[in-house]
Amino acid sequence: MNEGRLIVLTGPSGVGKGTLLKHLCQRHPDLQVSVSLTTRAPRPGEIPGQSYIFVNREEFQAAIQANELLEWAEYAGNYYGTPRRPVEQALQAGKLVILEIEVVGARQIRQNFPQAHLIFIAPPTWETLEQRLRQRGQDSESAMQKRLARAKEELQAAPEFDVQVVNDDLEQAIHALEVHLGLRDRQNINNSEF
Ligand code: ADP
Ligand code: 5GP
């Protein structure tokens, strides 16, 4: 069977995972990005079914009970999880499937899919991370504080993953990801540790 590949992008909120993924998908339309379930309220501009599948807590619990999630985690007061079926179908179709998830969920994937490739996106400095979270301007101060506290823990987890990519210069980070995903040859890659 032509099995695809499962890739996880993890790292703290605000580090730029979504931004990197958006650029990667524009350049490589064949990539399949998983759309997660969340109990978080939509942000302005987020499209239901495209950014996330927005559900209430009862619906999320029902999905867990029915074993419909590949992994799930609580994050800053909300639940997030990866729907199982679309990922399994895309892998069976031989696709390169990307999950953009936080660290607790990434560990579950590591456990259940030893063949998955897990990439940790790191900020160049703590100050840059805080600045990016604030400049995104989508979170209340209390949500921001929860995300910053969680980010401190997540940064400690970086060495658990297969590779670390520092998202300092955006183009360089995209290039490094393309190399790790096998989407381009390794040339002048100088971004695999922090
Ligand atoms: P995440 O998905 O990890 O929560 P986002 O992709 O939403 O993070 O990025 C958080 C903020 O940082 C956004 O305002 C985004 O434009 C900005 N950002 C992302 N990558 C870079 C980069 N390499 N340089 C400068 N700003 C960046
Ligand atoms: P945000 O609220 O900023 O969209 O997402 C908060 C965090 O949840 C981010 O680190 C994001 O990567 C993560 N996340 C998004 N979807 C999922 C998911 O399906 N599972 C897990 N475990 N984390 C997710």
Side-chain angles (χ1 to χ4, degrees), residues 58-104:
E58 290 69 32
E59 290 166 322
F60 196 94
Q61 287 299 336
I64 296 173
Q65 295 305 324
N67 196 27
E68 286 170 6
L69 302 181
L70 269 191
E71 60 73 36
W72 65 273
E74 189 271 344
Y75 182 95
N78 285 297
Y79 292 95
Y80 297 80
T82 303
R84 179 186 300 278
R85 259 184 81 77
V87 173
E88 288 181 347
Q89 283 174 346
L91 287 175
Q92 276 160 17
K95 295 214 167 201
L96 201 159
V97 184
I98 306 191
L99 312 184
E100 189 241 285
I101 63 179
E102 52 67 70
V103 162
V104 173

Side-chain angles (χ1 to χ4, degrees), residues 11-20 100 132-133 135-136 147 167-170:
S13 176
V15 76
K17 303 185 297 296
T19 304
L20 290 166
E100 189 241 285
R132 285 187 191 159
L133 258 180
Q135 106 197 5
R136 189 168 65 188
R147 282 166 189 263
N167 181 21
D168 188 357
D169 175 77
L170 189 65

Side-chain angles (χ1 to χ4, degrees), residues 25-39:
C25 287
Q26 280 166 358
R27 295 176 198 193
H28 306 280
D30 283 352
L31 296 177
Q32 175 104 6
V33 179
S34 163
V35 179
S36 297
L37 245 56
T38 184
T39 61

Side-chain angles (χ1 to χ4, degrees), residues 174-190:
I174 294 167
H175 185 122
L177 282 176
E178 286 177 318
V179 171
H180 288 304
L181 300 183
L183 299 170
R184 81 150 68 206
D185 291 339
R186 179 177 291 264
Q187 349 157 310
N188 301 326
I189 170 172
N190 184 21

